[in-house]
Amino acid sequence: MMEGNEEQSELSLEGNDEGDSFRLHMVTWNVATADPPEDVTALLHLNSPKSPDLYVIGLQEVYSGPMRFVSDTVYDDPWSQLLMSILAPRKYIKVSSIRMQGLLLLFFSKLEHVPFIRDIKATYTRTGIFGYWGNKGGVSVRLSFYGHMLCFLNCHLAAHMKYATERVDEFEYIMDTQTFDCKKAPRIVDHRLVFWFGDLNFRIQDHGMHFVRSCINNQTYNLLWSNDQLTMMKKKEQMLQEFDEGPLDFQPTYKFDLNSDTYDSSGKKRKPAWTDRILWRLRPKAPPPDELDGADVKKVGHVEEDEEYPLKIRQDLYTSNMEYSISDHKPVISIFTLELRKMYETPLVRLQPEGDWSADIDAMVLYSPLQPFPSSTWDWIGLYKVGFTSVMDYITYTWVKDDEVAFNEEIIQVYVSKEEIPVRGGECVLCYYSSALQSIIGISEPFKVHESKVASEEGLEPDKINGLDKSIEGEDFWD
């Protein structure tokens, strides 16, 4: 843990006049198999005057009993469903998610950034050193954000006071073995910025229960820091030293009686601890090219990238939230400002609807590549209602290669069958999905799909409504 970290980071953001600022809201919470609360306003700071550009939410111990786990492989789990339903009307979509039994990681972005989030990969690593197969481990999402490679790693590490070394071993195993099908950043450490968070399960050593509780009551948390196991392990583990963490100026988040703010009153009387943490690692700066071995092409590239496209981070908030009591852990929230120079500012594809759209006539989409990209016969264009929740929340889609009719070298047209267009109409957008980049690389302006005249004249009941009559007004879509 680094005291004064926020001040140092603030200073590091100064002097970069060419950068754009982005707000990242992160949550980690061991939910102890509970279903989500009805109100997540405080968890997501929905009433804040500053809305985040990105939400990253890591959960541990999401309920994965036999029946629930089978259903979740087909449908989103209740946590994902709730978060998508709340964030979609605020113009966020779920860009990626990964689940390994009780571990769940969700990445949401404001729609305006989605065409600039590319090379999305998600994976998981099981640890389970103590014979609990798959019970512990890490899930991660990696991606390129305006060209900067970011990785988010949500971990649940071994429990109990005496296993601090095993926790570090598990973390290092995940860092060493987890790989991505990505040439530029095949391993976690290759990313420009890594966030490591979750129920890391580090405890407060040596101090007795009475002393710990009196420090909490008096808010003299700093008296406990030197005996926090993660802080202690950082002194001797090189990999941990590369990660920064803000001061633990908040109540320890474990362990509480359910539905209360009272620390464990059971017979076990577990000592409070900061088990739930959020840390980050900026890739260490490579030495100047003249000091590098000429064969080390990757590090030469890092030097050039660091200089031409700077990336800075500042932690604006790091706290626990005592409002939620459905679990024996309290959630931890951190807000970051990322300041970076974009490596690109235009989407890879421009697309738009041609003419009026309704279920009475086949519709046409026009699209044009603005830059070269790895196209594929598995690329497709989806029709979405305004306020959609995720890439898979389309009304219909058309394969780009199957039906394309090029009438010049730059603009290509594809058709959408009238049978697939909603009879009632509504506000919609078109999105081009790249199979190679695993992401949406172009989004149209919102447009109106008209109600079917044939259906209304004949008094037919629409068999395909898609909820479009309840969608967000298109003119507010990009605001």
Side-chain angles (χ1 to χ4, degrees):
M1 189 181 63
M2 293 180 62
E3 292 184 61
N5 201 55
E6 293 178 56
E7 290 82 354
Q8 291 169 13
S9 301
E10 270 190 63
L11 289 171
S12 70
L13 286 185
E14 293 174 7
N16 180 16
D17 298 329
E18 300 177 67
D20 288 279
S21 289
F22 302 92
R23 191 173 176 85
L24 164 63
H25 185 113
M26 294 187 67
V27 175
T28 180
W29 192 4
N30 181 324
V31 298
T33 73
D35 277 340
E38 289 182 15
D39 187 354
V40 291
T41 302
L43 193 70
L44 303 178
H45 288 198
L46 298 179
N47 293 332
S48 169
K50 292 181 181 176
S51 61
D53 297 279
L54 306 171
Y55 277 106
V56 176
I57 297 156
L59 304 177
Q60 306 85 39
E61 291 194 30
V62 174
Y63 178 62
S64 54
M67 293 312 295
R68 170 70 66 80
F69 191 60
V70 169
S71 69
D72 288 349
T73 59
V74 183
Y75 307 103
D76 283 306
D77 64 279
W79 284 91
S80 298
Q81 286 176 354
L82 174 79
L83 292 164
M84 287 194 294
S85 70
I86 290 199
L87 291 173
R90 291 170 167 82
K91 302 160 206 154
Y92 294 90
I93 76 160
K94 187 187 80 173
V95 173
S96 183
S97 65
I98 176 86
R99 180 168 182 186
M100 182 189 80
Q101 284 178 259
L103 271 170
L104 176 64
L105 177 55
L106 301 161
F107 182 97
F108 291 89
S109 169
K110 270 189 177 170
L111 200 74
E112 66 199 74
H113 304 307
V114 168
F116 306 99
I117 299 174
R118 302 173 190 166
D119 297 314
I120 302 164
K121 307 283 182 191
T123 191
Y124 62 88
T125 302
R126 301 184 193 278
T127 52
I129 283 173
F130 306 105
Y132 301 108
W133 182 82
N135 183 44
K136 298 290 194 292
V139 292
S140 60
V141 168
R142 65 87 51 205
L143 48 85
S144 162
F145 182 69
Y146 290 97
H148 295 265
M149 292 180 292
L150 312 181
C151 184
F152 299 88
L153 171 63
N154 171 25
C155 288
H156 192 185
L157 303 180
H160 306 302
M161 178 71 75
K162 63 183 178 181
Y163 291 126
T165 303
E166 285 79 1
R167 287 189 266 283
V168 175
D169 290 345
E170 286 186 338
F171 169 61
E172 291 185 344
Y173 173 76
I174 292 166
M175 292 288 287
D176 289 341
T177 60
Q178 197 165 98
T179 57
F180 305 94
D181 181 16
C182 174
K183 285 181 183 175
K184 280 189 176 179
R187 298 170 66 230
I188 294 173
V189 292
D190 297 324
H191 290 77
R192 192 83 184 272
L193 179 58
V194 177
F195 291 92
W196 172 39
F197 54 106
D199 180 359
L200 309 185
N201 251 322
F202 290 101
R203 308 302 170 98
I204 296 171
Q205 244 175 246
D206 301 329
H207 291 312
M209 178 72 85
H210 178 74
F211 181 75
V212 171
R213 293 210 172 186
S214 69
C215 288
I216 294 170
N217 292 336
N218 298 325
Q219 297 185 12
T220 50
Y221 307 123
N222 59 309
L223 299 180
L224 301 173
W225 292 347
S226 61
N227 279 27
D228 168 70
Q229 287 179 335
L230 180 51
T231 305
M232 296 166 74
M233 297 301 284
K234 280 186 85 166
K235 290 176 181 171
K236 52 185 180 180
E237 296 289 342
Q238 174 63 38
M239 188 175 285
L240 295 181
Q241 288 165 16
E242 294 181 359
F243 282 83
D244 291 332
E245 183 179 18
L248 296 167
D249 279 328
F250 54 86
Q251 269 188 255
T253 52
Y254 174 83
K255 172 182 168 69
F256 290 87
D257 293 341
L258 290 183
N259 303 308
S260 81
D261 288 341
T262 305
Y263 283 104
D264 186 15
S265 64
S266 72
K268 292 184 177 178
K269 286 201 165 45
R270 290 182 185 86
K271 198 161 42 168
W274 287 290
T275 54
D276 310 281
R277 312 284 275 268
I278 300 175
L279 299 90
W280 72 94
R281 173 192 183 268
L282 263 176
R283 189 178 61 205
K285 279 192 163 43
D290 54 4
E291 295 177 23
L292 285 168
D293 182 340
D296 203 341
V297 177
K298 185 179 274 189
K299 285 194 175 176
V300 173
H302 287 176
V303 174
E304 293 170 354
E305 185 179 82
D306 290 349
E307 289 178 356
E308 191 172 357
Y309 298 102
L311 169 63
K312 309 288 185 185
I313 179 169
R314 178 181 73 229
Q315 187 176 49
D316 300 314
L317 179 73
Y318 189 32
T319 190
S320 55
N321 187 309
M322 302 299 291
E323 179 177 321
Y324 296 98
S325 55
I326 56 172
S327 165
D328 56 353
H329 291 249
K330 300 296 183 184
V332 168
I333 296 166
S334 186
I335 294 174
F336 295 93
T337 296
L338 303 184
E339 188 160 316
L340 56 86
R341 186 175 173 204
K342 297 175 182 174
M343 295 189 193
Y344 39 76
E345 303 217 29
T346 53
L348 294 175
V349 171
R350 178 186 292 126
L351 68 165
Q352 64 191 67
E354 177 70 3
D356 288 341
W357 278 49
S358 78
D360 298 333
I361 188 169
D362 291 344
M364 187 192 295
V365 180
L366 302 181
Y367 77 91
S368 51
L370 300 180
Q371 301 168 44
F373 67 92
S375 61
S376 154
T377 52
W378 297 105
D379 289 1
W380 47 274
I381 292 173
L383 176 68
Y384 295 82
K385 68 178 181 179
V386 167
F388 65 103
T389 60
S390 71
V391 171
M392 301 312 293
D393 190 22
Y394 51 78
I395 298 161
T396 185
Y397 63 90
T398 181
W399 296 106
V400 167
K401 295 289 180 183
D402 285 4
D403 299 315
E404 77 172 36
V405 183
F407 56 87
N408 67 31
E409 289 182 2
E410 294 178 343
I411 299 178
I412 303 162
Q413 60 187 31
V414 291
Y415 293 96
V416 176
S417 166
K418 62 184 180 183
E419 279 79 25
E420 300 295 326
I421 296 173
V423 170
R424 282 197 180 173
E427 292 290 329
C428 291
V429 288
L430 295 162
C431 296
Y432 186 113
Y433 184 83
S434 161
S435 178
L437 298 177
Q438 297 280 294
S439 57
I440 290 170
I441 59 172
I443 303 177
S444 75
E445 292 290 329
F447 65 98
K448 188 169 185 62
V449 174
H450 299 284
E451 189 171 353
S452 165
K453 289 179 182 173
V454 172
S456 58
E457 284 170 7
E458 297 182 6
L460 297 175
E461 273 296 310
D463 59 350
K464 194 165 189 178
I465 294 170
N466 291 298
L468 284 169
D469 49 339
K470 298 176 185 173
S471 64
I472 301 167
E473 289 302 319
E475 55 266 26
D476 298 330
F477 189 57
W478 293 105
D479 292 350

